[in-house]
DNA sequence: GCCAACGTTGGC
DNA sequence: GCCAACGTTGGC
């Protein structure tokens, strides 16, 4: 892990925009965020940071993929009012086996994850320790 | 589809 | 500045 790098988790309903959509687009603007806390997290992202792509509001919500921040916050063109930003993300991979919310809840070292304690926040930080535990499960060959 | 949790709005 | 009403998110 590179020192100073930050890690994130970003939610999207797969019916609207999924990891497979991102695979095909390769790079996409992460638009539509209309929550101040989520927006502030977007603004804290730096080029080169990594983020999990989380599928929300589905039968089995889960971490589905990995992406990289390739452009830092800039105005969201889909926002009617000023003050809302987006970042650009690049597809890195879709995990062969997703890690479901149900499984995450059963990992004792992850009980403090924002995901488990502020379930409505759509853009959230992941600590380096949490990131490693998750990556070890999601991508055991790599890393 | 339901509803708990949370965020926002607006009257006072 | 409080808080009731309302809207949204997201797990189930």
């Amino acid at each position: 892990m590179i020192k100073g790098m930050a890690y994130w988790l970003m939610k999207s309903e797969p019916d609207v925009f999924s990891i497979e959509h991102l695979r095909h687009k390769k790079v996409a603007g992460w638009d539509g965020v209309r929550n101040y806390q989520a927006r502030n997290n977007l603004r804290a992202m730096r080029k080169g940071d990594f983020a999990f792509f989380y599928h929300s509001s589905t039968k089995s919500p889960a971490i589905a993929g990995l992406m990289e921040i390739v452009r830092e916050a800039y105005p969201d063109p889909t926002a009617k009012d000023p003050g809302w930003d987006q970042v650009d993300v690049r597809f890195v991979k879709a995990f062969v086996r997703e890690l479901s919310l149900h499984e995450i809840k059963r990992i004792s070292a992850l009980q403090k994850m924002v995901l488990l304690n502020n379930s409505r926040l759509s853009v959230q930080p992941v600590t380096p320790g949490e990131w490693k535990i998750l990556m070890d499960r999601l991508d055991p060959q790599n890393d």
Side-chain angles (χ1 to χ4, degrees):
Chain A
M1 279 182 270
I2 300 165
K3 196 185 175 206
M5 176 181 291
Y7 301 93
W8 308 95
L9 181 147
M10 300 163 84
K11 297 181 181 179
S12 179
E13 297 186 29
D15 290 347
V16 179
F17 188 73
S18 72
I19 189 69
E20 292 307 317
H21 290 115
L22 182 60
R23 184 204 294 278
H24 289 109
K25 288 192 75 172
K26 295 184 171 61
V27 172
W30 199 272
D31 61 23
V33 170
R34 299 292 183 271
N35 168 283
Y36 291 112
Q37 205 180 339
R39 184 206 60 189
N40 291 344
N41 288 332
L42 285 179
R43 288 180 174 176
M45 291 178 175
R46 292 298 166 253
K47 205 171 160 181
D49 285 355
F50 284 108
F52 287 129
F53 194 126
Y54 179 89
H55 285 166
S56 66
S57 296
T58 176
K59 277 231 168 67
S60 183
I63 294 173
L66 178 63
M67 52 195 171
E68 180 189 0
I69 309 306
V70 292
R71 183 177 171 190
E72 297 179 7
Y74 63 100
D76 179 347
T78 70
K80 276 196 293 180
D81 304 316
W84 298 114
D85 288 353
Q86 66 178 16
V87 297
D88 284 355
V89 296
R90 177 182 70 83
F91 175 85
V92 176
K93 66 159 53 185
F95 294 114
V96 173
R97 190 182 165 285
E98 296 184 352
L99 189 64
S100 71
L101 178 63
H102 183 72
E103 292 170 284
I104 294 166
K105 281 181 173 172
R106 291 168 54 199
I107 301 171
S108 58
L110 298 181
Q111 294 308 303
K112 289 187 175 171
M113 272 195 80
V114 177
L115 185 69
L116 304 187
N117 296 286
N118 189 355
S119 65
R120 294 182 59 211
L121 186 61
S122 66
V123 178
Q124 55 184 256
V126 176
T127 70
E130 292 162 352
W131 185 270
K132 185 178 188 322
I133 290 165
L134 291 162
M135 282 299 285
D136 284 348
R137 303 237 179 182
L138 285 157
D139 206 18
Q141 314 306 332
N142 246 324
D143 224 25

